[in-house]
Amino acid sequence: MRRMLQVSIIVLALGLLFGGNSPADAQGYGAGGRGFNTAESYYIKSSLQGRRAKTVRKQIRNNPNNFANARGINRIGKARRKARRKARRRARRLRKRRFKKRKTVSRVRKKIARKKIARKTKSNLNISAKEPVQIVVSLPRQRVSIYKGGKIIASSRVSSGKLGHRTPPGIFSIIQKNKRHFSNLYGGAPMPFMQRITWSGIALHAGNVSRPYASHGCIRLPYGFAKTLFKRTSMGAHVIVASTSASPQSIVHDNLFQPLHEGVVVASNGPTGSVMTDQSSVGDARPELELGGLPGFVKPVVQARQKLMQKEKDLEKSIAAVPALAQAREQLEKELEARKASLNVAKKVAFASGKSLREPRAVVSKIKRKRSPKTRALRKAESRAKWAWKIVDKRRDNPRFEGNWMKKALARARSRDEIVAVKQAAVDDITKELDVATAQYDELLYVDRNARATVKARQSEIHKTQAALKKAQKDLLSGKQAVLNGKRTIRKAKSAIKSAMAREKMPLRILVTPRRGRERTIDTQKILAELGYEVGVADGAVGSMTRTAIKAFQRELGLKESGRISDSLVEELYKRVGRTQEANAHMYVRQGFVDLFDAPVGISDATK
């Protein structure tokens, strides 16, 4: 106790000596009792800024807590971070406003420019939707011209493919139209008012035409011009992309096709120059033109009506087949119900027979249990009697056992034989009783087995009937679906007649091109097939079967096995079949975006 008091006095004296006059000074808080030292006060004064900093400084000055210094510094850091975040948000909002303003101004300018172009082109581009047009694009001039009846009705500047993505020249048709389209090749670039002319990605669409040769192969049009042209053109319209300055020219010659009178079409089965009117029989029109031996066509409306008649016949057959299918299904349903009723009867009989087996089975079991101990006792008695007689027979000739012993042994053996006879009689009686009960049980068991077999047979018949009913139901549904499909095809056939009538009003488009590439490949495949080589389908594609056939033919001639189609190979093939290669060109005829027929033709002077 005295030592503790001495330690306390020493600690108090050291505190008064080095710490000042107050307990707070003794704990290290100097600088006039403000709660922080001079260095820390200078740091806080230099770092505090603004009204928030003054408030925090007052709180720190008046706070007597030991941790006021640390809390004040943390609050100052929070205030500075908050001010920085606020400044950043303000700068971000200002940037967004400026960007939005620039974007709005750009959008307004583009809209004004589109309206100006639309006002300029809308007055010029006045195309009737029923009249065919021709679109001619001149790549050198970077202009598009719209022709109707051989006269130009509108023109505008374009921007075609740049270096490395040149727009291919040729004669094309509009094969797809989409008002809002996005490119699937160039990162979803917008292609408004797109009119596709090739499946490889070439199309007419609205875009920037401020510079020539700036696209990736497409033909860009001014926005207003593209919008109006999109409304006025239809599928199948001709688009001519020329590598020179081109314009449609009329050609009149006696050997060219001549227009027929209205309501008259080419007959497919008549002599040369024969015609067929709308009042002619539909059956007279066949899909082969005998004029010059070329494959031809019949009137599209006649073809459509023939298809409609065939579809109507098919629909009548389908409608006639539905009642028979429904009747078959109803009959199977009735048969199934009858079989189910007979199955229930058979189940009842089987249940009754099984129930009647219980008592005889119990009787037989009871008799067997009763016979078992008697049978064991009989066997035991027989064993004892056998042993007694065995002893008698063994000692009968021995003089030692004569007299009374032998008499007693014989009496014992005979008594045991009597016991055996009594037990045998008891077993025989029980056996007779068991035979009678077993016979009754066997009769009932036979009846039960027949009843169970009948139940299984009924169940098998029901399964077969259910399968037949399921098939009949499926056939009926397919018949009804065939009727619905027939009605749908009839509607399509009627709409095809309307479209064929509209297509008949469109002009024929004829293209004559030199026989190269696909046409020559088809000819080669057909001749090889005539010579017995396996080439598959003559589709104009050089596949593995065609190459194998060409190699076999070259091997037969002793030539180099290249597997390629060349002029010398085609010449040898024609020599082998005994024909001359007369057709050096091919003619394609199309009407309303539908291929009517194509045939090989000969050009006397193909160089001109």
Side-chain angles (χ1 to χ4, degrees):
M1 186 68 179
R2 183 180 301 172
R3 184 172 296 177
M4 291 179 63
L5 182 59
Q6 290 176 358
V7 171
S8 301
I9 293 171
I10 292 170
V11 170
L12 182 59
L14 289 174
L16 293 175
L17 180 62
F18 297 100
N21 300 323
S22 65
D25 292 338
Q27 294 181 12
Y29 288 84
R34 295 187 177 181
F36 44 84
N37 54 29
T38 308
E40 292 173 346
S41 176
Y42 175 76
Y43 170 75
I44 294 172
K45 289 181 181 179
S46 62
S47 61
L48 289 176
Q49 295 177 2
R51 185 177 301 172
R52 176 63 181 165
K54 291 180 181 180
T55 305
V56 173
R57 189 166 54 190
K58 287 182 181 180
Q59 292 177 358
I60 293 172
R61 186 185 300 118
N62 299 327
N63 190 0
N65 196 348
N66 296 340
F67 301 97
N69 188 16
R71 288 186 177 181
I73 294 172
N74 291 337
R75 290 178 182 178
I76 291 168
K78 289 181 180 179
R80 295 177 67 182
R81 287 194 295 272
K82 187 175 180 181
R84 289 172 186 171
R85 286 197 298 269
K86 191 173 181 180
R88 282 198 296 269
R89 285 197 297 268
R90 190 185 305 110
R92 197 180 300 119
R93 284 197 296 269
L94 290 174
R95 284 197 299 271
K96 284 184 179 179
R97 289 175 186 172
R98 291 168 187 167
F99 178 75
K100 188 175 181 181
K101 187 175 181 181
R102 287 198 300 269
K103 195 173 181 180
T104 305
V105 171
S106 177
R107 192 185 298 114
V108 171
R109 288 177 181 174
K110 287 182 180 179
K111 190 174 182 180
I112 293 171
R114 289 195 203 104
K115 287 183 178 180
K116 287 181 180 179
I117 296 172
R119 282 197 297 269
K120 288 182 180 179
T121 58
K122 193 172 182 180
S123 59
N124 296 330
L125 192 59
N126 187 11
I127 306 170
S128 175
K130 296 182 180 181
E131 296 174 351
V133 297
Q134 286 183 333
I135 304 170
V136 180
V137 179
S138 177
L139 295 178
R141 295 180 57 197
Q142 291 289 284
R143 291 198 68 83
V144 60
S145 302
I146 313 300
Y147 290 88
K148 184 182 72 172
K151 296 181 180 180
I152 186 170
I153 58 174
S155 179
S156 176
R157 67 183 185 276
V158 298
S159 179
S160 62
K162 60 185 177 181
L163 186 63
H165 301 277
R166 292 297 187 188
T167 303
I171 301 174
F172 307 96
S173 298
I174 297 175
I175 56 178
Q176 185 186 10
K177 297 181 68 174
N178 193 355
K179 188 175 182 181
R180 295 179 180 86
H181 183 75
F182 296 90
S183 174
N184 54 1
L185 296 176
Y186 301 103
M191 300 169 63
F193 303 105
M194 185 274 296
Q195 303 186 65
R196 188 186 296 277
I197 59 176
T198 69
W199 289 116
S200 60
I202 309 301
L204 302 167
H205 66 86
N208 185 11
V209 295
S210 60
R211 290 185 300 142
Y213 305 107
S215 72
H216 286 82
C218 291
I219 300 169
R220 296 179 183 175
L221 305 172
Y223 189 88
F225 189 86
K227 182 178 180 180
T228 309
L229 183 65
F230 185 87
K231 294 178 181 178
R232 299 293 186 260
T233 56
S234 58
M235 295 286 290
H238 259 172
V239 179
I240 302 168
V241 181
S243 56
T244 59
S245 298
S247 61
Q249 301 291 333
S250 61
I251 301 175
V252 180
H253 196 274
D254 295 337
N255 293 331
L256 295 177
F257 291 96
Q258 300 296 325
L260 298 176
H261 298 291
E262 186 176 358
V264 178
V265 296
V266 178
S268 61
N269 60 343
T272 303
S274 63
V275 298
M276 182 179 73
T277 61
D278 289 340
Q279 288 76 23
S280 301
S281 174
V282 174
D284 296 338
R286 297 174 185 172
E288 188 162 344
L289 185 66
E290 296 182 359
L291 180 60
L294 301 178
F297 65 97
V298 297
K299 189 175 180 181
V301 175
V302 174
Q303 287 182 340
R305 286 174 180 168
Q306 287 177 348
K307 290 182 180 179
L308 177 61
M309 292 172 60
Q310 185 63 35
K311 298 298 182 184
E312 288 177 346
K313 290 180 181 178
D314 296 340
L315 178 61
E316 290 176 359
K317 291 181 181 178
S318 301
I319 293 174
V322 168
L325 295 173
Q327 185 177 1
R329 188 193 66 174
E330 291 177 358
Q331 185 176 358
L332 286 171
E333 287 179 350
K334 292 180 181 179
E335 185 177 353
L336 180 62
E337 293 297 331
R339 291 186 184 280
K340 285 183 178 180
S342 63
L343 175 63
N344 292 331
V345 173
K347 285 183 177 180
K348 290 180 180 179
V349 172
F351 179 76
S353 62
K355 189 176 181 180
S356 63
L357 282 175
R358 297 176 184 174
E359 186 176 353
R361 188 187 297 113
V363 171
V364 170
S365 299
K366 184 178 180 180
I367 294 173
K368 285 182 178 179
R369 289 194 301 271
K370 185 178 178 181
R371 189 182 65 167
S372 295
K374 295 184 179 299
T375 305
R376 289 194 297 270
L378 174 63
R379 289 175 183 172
K380 187 175 181 181
E382 288 176 348
S383 177
R384 288 182 177 181
K386 186 178 180 181
W387 178 256
W389 282 110
K390 187 176 181 181
I391 292 173
V392 170
D393 293 337
K394 184 177 180 182
R395 298 179 180 181
R396 181 174 295 181
D397 296 331
N398 194 341
R400 291 175 57 187
F401 298 100
E402 291 181 357
N404 293 331
W405 187 91
M406 183 58 66
K407 291 179 181 179
K408 290 179 181 180
L410 289 173
R412 187 165 50 257
R414 291 189 186 98
S415 64
R416 289 186 177 180
D417 287 340
E418 292 176 359
I419 292 170
V420 168
V422 172
K423 291 187 180 297
Q424 183 66 45
V427 170
D428 292 340
D429 293 340
I430 293 176
T431 302
K432 290 179 181 179
E433 185 180 356
L434 180 62
D435 292 340
V436 173
T438 303
Q440 295 177 356
Y441 177 73
D442 290 341
E443 291 178 0
L444 294 175
L445 184 63
Y446 178 76
V447 173
D448 181 67
R449 287 176 179 174
N450 289 339
R452 292 179 182 276
T454 304
V455 170
K456 289 183 178 180
R458 295 286 187 274
Q459 289 176 346
S460 177
E461 291 174 357
I462 285 175
H463 289 325
K464 292 180 180 179
T465 308
Q466 286 177 344
L469 179 61
K470 189 176 181 180
K471 186 177 180 301
Q473 181 71 19
K474 188 176 180 180
D475 294 340
L476 179 60
L477 291 176
S478 61
K480 291 182 179 180
Q481 187 64 35
V483 172
L484 295 176
N485 293 338
K487 292 180 179 179
R488 192 180 297 113
T489 53
I490 284 177
R491 288 196 296 269
K492 290 182 180 179
K494 289 180 180 179
S495 64
I497 291 175
K498 293 180 181 179
S499 61
M501 294 175 66
R503 193 167 60 248
E504 280 187 352
K505 299 178 182 179
M506 299 180 181
L508 287 174
R509 293 169 180 171
I510 303 171
L511 174 65
V512 179
T513 179
R515 288 181 64 81
R516 291 188 178 90
R518 181 174 179 272
E519 292 81 10
R520 189 170 69 167
T521 304
I522 292 175
D523 291 343
T524 304
Q525 290 173 335
K526 288 181 179 179
I527 295 174
L528 287 171
E530 290 180 12
L531 295 175
Y533 295 97
E534 291 290 337
V535 295
V537 181
D539 53 357
V542 183
S544 59
M545 296 181 67
T546 304
R547 290 194 187 92
T548 305
I550 292 172
K551 288 181 180 180
F553 181 74
Q554 291 173 342
R555 191 185 310 115
E556 185 180 348
L557 294 178
L559 302 175
K560 182 180 178 181
E561 299 180 13
S562 62
R564 298 178 181 178
I565 299 174
S566 59
D567 295 337
S568 60
L569 176 68
V570 175
E571 187 177 354
E572 291 293 335
L573 286 171
Y574 274 99
K575 286 181 182 179
R576 178 62 63 89
V577 296
R579 295 198 301 267
T580 58
Q581 187 179 0
E582 297 178 356
N584 57 358
H586 206 90
M587 180 178 67
Y588 299 91
V589 179
R590 174 182 288 183
Q591 185 182 33
F593 202 52
V594 175
D595 293 329
L596 299 179
F597 69 91
D598 63 282
V601 296
I603 300 177
S604 59
D605 191 357
T607 59
K608 293 184 179 180

